[in-house]
Amino acid sequence: MLRLSDFEKAKCLMNCEVARLLEHKSEQYKQMSNDSNNHTSQVFEKSLQYVKRFRRFSNQDAVKQLALLGNLCPETLDEAISVIPTLKTKGRLTMDSIEKLVNDLSMIKKFE
Amino acid sequence: MFFHIVLERNMQLHPRYFGRNLRDNLVSKLMKDVEGTCSGRHGFVVAVTGIENVGKGLIRDGTGFVTFPVKYQCVVFRPFKGEILEAVVTMVNKMGFFAEAGPVQIFVSNHLIPDDMEFQSGDMPNYTTSDGSVKIQKDSEVRLKIIGTRVDATEIFCIGTIKDDFLGVINDPATI
């Protein structure tokens, strides 16, 4: 079992979310690169490479859809499609898999 | 695992930085000081994402420096005992193999590699199953479980295992 102590109130991040954050930061650093002091640390570079390699969702839309599903926790398939319309239009998931996802989420909520 | 947390730090600023750009100077000094560092408690600070609050400055006695307590949000990477994560193999030898997950180094001893995998030395040393179906070599991607962590001054080092269910080489579905 993971004992998170300090981190109990911390927000866990998915690799794809971290990838987006670090890529944005990387852009900022590049823009400020007139000042030679601003090079990224090895920790930053290694982390960026890692999350880019191991993120399961490169598509920004998929990341947003996932985050929304997690935050809103729709109870039924219909609710999910109405609050996140792009699930139907841009989503690569079938109706069955969305339904399963929604059911699993409510299971997790019940037994929290 | 990556976390988004709020940390606090007392920043000391020399009077030459006071003026219109005080806050900007404070923020850049914070980022320079803190990004890339590591502590046992929070893990590696990968990037500062925002400043939550800058407290009132306190002038130090005897010098002109001023200390500001700064609360900031950042992305940290902290490995935990028992955590399962994915890593890239960096070196293989007969004692086991080394892998990297972001800024963290993990060592998997040959005692914690399944018994049906044997070490093969050569140009590309690797661990292979007897039928040759699974191979672990440099640049392979593996899923491992952290069973211990050790914190140094500047880095965190972990020991891992791939002997449990669903651990080991990750098969990329694209290549099947």
Side-chain angles (χ1 to χ4, degrees):
Chain A
M1 271 315 287
L2 291 181
R3 255 185 292 128
L4 297 176
S5 60
D6 257 346
F7 287 78
E8 239 138 58
K9 300 195 202 110
K11 215 173 126 200
C12 304
L13 291 174
M14 286 171 58
N15 287 349
C16 41
E17 295 172 306
V18 180
R20 195 150 174 217
L21 272 169
L22 294 187
E23 275 168 342
H24 186 235
K25 245 324 11 210
S26 191
E27 293 287 317
Q28 281 186 338
Y29 274 123
K30 280 201 191 104
Q31 284 174 357
M32 302 200 295
S33 68
N34 305 322
D35 175 9
S36 61
N37 288 333
N38 266 338
H39 30 237
T40 53
S41 62
Q42 215 191 27
V43 167
F44 183 90
E45 287 303 327
K46 281 196 165 162
S47 304
L48 182 54
Q49 270 171 32
Y50 175 72
V51 291
K52 273 183 160 162
R53 188 163 181 172
F54 287 105
R55 58 182 162 186
R56 300 279 167 202
F57 310 101
S58 332
N59 184 354
Q60 296 297 3
D61 295 329
V63 176
K64 284 184 206 151
Q65 285 171 3
L66 254 185
L68 271 172
L69 275 172
N71 285 345
L72 300 172
C73 275
E75 312 255 308
T76 67
L77 173 59
D78 289 331
E79 186 183 344
I81 304 181
S82 66
V83 295
I84 313 176
T86 56
L87 263 179
K88 204 169 178 193
T89 57
K90 290 198 208 164
R92 290 183 222 176
L93 296 171
T94 62
M95 293 299 117
D96 283 340
S97 49
I98 300 178
E99 183 149 28
K100 185 170 186 306
L101 248 175
V102 159
N103 289 334
D104 288 342
L105 268 177
S106 60
M107 277 294 177
I108 297 177
K109 256 207 312 194
K110 268 191 213 130
F111 294 106
E112 233 189 335
Chain B
M1 209 191 316
F2 287 95
F3 294 90
H4 200 207
I5 57 174
V6 176
L7 290 178
E8 188 165 353
R9 190 183 168 90
N10 287 326
M11 301 292 311
Q12 278 211 18
L13 213 56
H14 188 278
R16 78 163 80 100
Y17 299 113
F18 298 171
R20 240 178 321 155
N21 297 326
L22 174 63
R23 201 190 155 93
D24 290 339
N25 285 326
L26 200 56
V27 172
S28 14
K29 187 163 196 292
L30 173 73
M31 305 212 318
K32 242 183 276 191
D33 276 1
V34 133
E35 282 182 2
T37 61
C38 173
S39 76
R41 208 163 152 208
H42 304 118
F44 286 91
V45 177
V46 177
V48 172
T49 53
I51 306 289
E52 210 172 75
N53 172 322
V54 178
K56 294 204 175 108
L58 189 63
I59 307 179
R60 318 284 315 159
D61 288 339
T63 70
F65 280 84
V66 174
T67 308
F68 292 90
V70 184
K71 266 208 188 114
Y72 58 99
Q73 292 166 343
C74 53
V75 175
V76 296
F77 186 77
R78 167 85 149 89
F80 282 91
K81 193 167 152 175
E83 178 181 348
I84 296 177
L85 49 72
E86 299 173 339
V88 180
V89 176
T90 51
M91 186 168 83
V92 180
N93 61 36
K94 66 177 193 286
M95 308 289 290
F97 65 84
F98 283 92
E100 258 181 29
V104 157
Q105 272 237 12
I106 306 151
F107 177 64
V108 178
S109 139
N110 61 11
H111 298 294
L112 295 171
I113 297 177
D115 299 325
D116 61 349
M117 297 197 89
E118 295 267 311
F119 175 67
Q120 319 271 352
S121 56
D123 262 351
M124 271 289 245
N126 60 71
Y127 280 87
T128 318
T129 47
S130 40
D131 59 2
S133 58
V134 185
K135 203 181 214 186
I136 298 180
Q137 60 190 16
K138 186 162 180 226
D139 221 41
S140 296
E141 297 178 358
V142 290
R143 188 177 294 160
L144 47 82
K145 178 153 119 174
I146 308 265
I147 53 171
T149 60
R150 192 194 76 206
V151 185
D152 221 319
T154 51
E155 58 178 340
I156 300 183
F157 185 78
C158 301
I159 309 283
T161 176
I162 55 167
K163 230 176 182 177
D164 284 351
D165 288 339
F166 297 105
L167 299 182
V169 176
I170 301 169
N171 289 320
D172 188 351
T175 61
I176 289 177

